[in-house]
Amino acid sequence: MSKEIWVDIAVRNSRSARRSFSVRALVDSGSVDSGLPAAILKKIGVQPVGVENYEAWGGKRLRRKWG
């Protein structure tokens, strides 16, 4: 039996704690990184600073910006 784990998290801009939002997020217990849509991060002033390559489920390869 598989159950999903959801958590409420606060996301803040590290340079301006007043720029933040809360969101309910699905936990991937096998993941080492977390991700959120760029559009919502941009609203609080988070800008991309690099690009990372990932291998997703099923062998699909992805390039994602990080900030």
Side-chain angles (χ1 to χ4, degrees), residues 13-42:
N13 180 322
S14 63
R15 296 179 185 189
S16 175
R18 294 183 347 172
R19 298 182 80 179
S20 65
F21 63 90
S22 295
V23 66
R24 189 159 179 79
L26 178 63
V27 174
D28 178 351
S29 61
S31 182
V32 296
D33 288 328
S34 30
L36 293 167
I40 61 175
L41 293 172
K42 193 176 204 178

Side-chain angles (χ1 to χ4, degrees), residues 5-67:
I5 300 171
W6 290 84
V7 295
D8 294 319
I9 61 172
V11 181
R12 292 184 179 89
N13 180 322
S14 63
R15 296 179 185 189
S16 175
R18 294 183 347 172
R19 298 182 80 179
S20 65
F21 63 90
S22 295
V23 66
R24 189 159 179 79
L26 178 63
V27 174
D28 178 351
S29 61
S31 182
V32 296
D33 288 328
S34 30
L36 293 167
I40 61 175
L41 293 172
K42 193 176 204 178
K43 287 181 182 180
I44 63 166
V46 175
Q47 297 296 320
V49 295
V51 176
E52 192 69 38
N53 295 312
Y54 293 93
E55 184 174 338
W57 183 83
K60 184 176 179 181
R61 298 203 181 270
L62 308 169
R63 283 179 59 87
R64 295 289 186 252
K65 295 178 183 176
W66 61 272

